[in-house]
Amino acid sequence: MPSAVSARLPVFPWDRLEPYKATASAHPDGIVDLSVGTPVDPVPELVQRALAGAADSPGYPTVWGTPALRDAIVAWVTGRTGAVGLAHRGVLPVIGSKELVASVPAQLGLGPGDRVAYPEPAYPTYEVGARLARAEPVPYRGSPTELDPRGLRLLWLNSPANPTGRVLDVAELRAIVAWAREHGVLVLSDECYLELGWEAEPVSVLNPDVCGDSHEGLVAVHSLSKRSNLAGYRAAFLAGDPAVIGELLGVRKHSGMMLPAPVQAAMAVALGDREHVVEQRARYAARREALRTALTARGFTIAHSEASLYLWATRDEPCWDTVAELSKLGILVAPGDFYGAAGDRFVRVAFTATDERVAGAVARLA
């Protein structure tokens, strides 16, 4: 049997949470699961109609997406990020952002001797992608401009960040882009929470104040999972340097990485509508405020958390102690060390549960 690829990977972190999930589930009023940031609100009706309307799609879809979808992506990125000069050659739909994060180092030909850097604490799949390609994973704290650029082929940014909710400002992003270009390092900017700024306005790496009039060496990663409740659709896309996008398109054509045609139609409609995004933001804002108030009243400090769908909370104790105590209240949260050693005294609290479950958590915290 060939050597197991899974042996290169870390232990799947969520399996470690099962005993605490069992404790929380035993609460008389049921579990309030704030551990995973999965949408619970309905898919917007206009998106559902678009999906159903394209259900009679017997032929193969294209990897590059329909012209209508590419038009929608270009229009949204241009309008939302301020990007200039973006055209069809600079965009590419992908089958959810996690698939892309996990596979892109290998798709770009990285391997032994190459280094992939990502922030710590961070979404664990950045490390997974490096390991699947047999490249060296390099977590960094602080600014990536302090990294040794030798052998560094790919630099991940994540703003707004998961799990911390931190936002990089224009000056920080501009300095990072200049440094990366100087050293020939490709920047992939995970911007999946761009629409969810609360105390700061997130800025894309494609904004001309950051990158000038060129997208050279830059690719932004976007998702409709959070802004449009489309996690179940696996609807995401890339935008940026046409040379990098073209390389990925060529690889993905051979690999058959095609987004289903009905999902492409639904994506185009979702990107063209702002009203449902405003409505969903209002839901999240109310849940965020309720949980933030309840947690601080119970002695937690909230760090960063100026954007995204999470509160990065601490009582300056080992994260698993916090997880255990909250599980006895029927509340399940994610331990910060899931996201690297820098999170070992924090927990990540998602505010993606229903209004009823969030109200239950608030009552229990009181």
Side-chain angles (χ1 to χ4, degrees), residues 11-27 31 33 35 320 323-333 335 338:
V11 175
F12 188 65
W14 296 98
D15 291 343
R16 297 167 56 201
L17 203 54
E18 285 301 315
Y20 302 94
K21 185 174 183 179
T23 299
S25 298
H27 190 277
I31 187 173
D33 192 343
S35 65
W320 285 99
V323 170
E325 178 178 328
L326 291 177
S327 72
K328 294 173 185 175
L329 299 177
I331 301 170
L332 189 67
V333 298
F338 275 11

Side-chain angles (χ1 to χ4, degrees), residues 246-287:
E247 177 64 17
L248 290 172
L249 175 60
V251 171
R252 294 170 73 86
K253 281 180 177 179
H254 282 288
S255 303
M257 292 183 168
M258 300 172 286
L259 198 63
V263 174
Q264 293 190 30
M267 280 181 70
V269 169
L271 286 168
D273 181 71
R274 180 68 184 165
E275 183 176 348
H276 78 273
V277 179
V278 173
E279 292 175 355
Q280 189 60 45
R281 275 181 54 87
R283 295 186 189 106
Y284 285 142
R287 295 165 186 166

Side-chain angles (χ1 to χ4, degrees), residues 327-349:
S327 72
K328 294 173 185 175
L329 299 177
I331 301 170
L332 189 67
V333 298
D337 67 1
F338 275 11
Y339 309 95
D344 63 0
R345 301 185 80 80
F346 287 82
V347 293
R348 193 193 75 172
V349 184

Side-chain angles (χ1 to χ4, degrees), residues 131-144:
R131 292 189 180 279
L132 286 173
R134 297 186 183 272
E136 177 188 352
V138 181
Y140 64 86
R141 303 183 189 181
S143 174

Side-chain angles (χ1 to χ4, degrees), residues 206-293:
L206 301 182
N207 187 293
D209 290 341
V210 173
C211 66
D213 60 0
S214 169
H215 301 152
E216 182 181 0
L218 307 173
V219 174
V221 181
H222 289 277
S223 169
L224 279 72
S225 292
K226 316 302 185 186
R227 75 179 290 277
S228 301
N229 298 335
L230 296 189
Y233 285 43
R234 310 313 303 135
F237 61 89
L238 309 179
D241 188 334
V244 179
I245 297 294
E247 177 64 17
L248 290 172
L249 175 60
V251 171
R252 294 170 73 86
K253 281 180 177 179
H254 282 288
S255 303
M257 292 183 168
M258 300 172 286
L259 198 63
V263 174
Q264 293 190 30
M267 280 181 70
V269 169
L271 286 168
D273 181 71
R274 180 68 184 165
E275 183 176 348
H276 78 273
V277 179
V278 173
E279 292 175 355
Q280 189 60 45
R281 275 181 54 87
R283 295 186 189 106
Y284 285 142
R287 295 165 186 166
R288 177 182 184 271
E289 181 59 28
L291 284 169
R292 186 185 186 102
T293 300

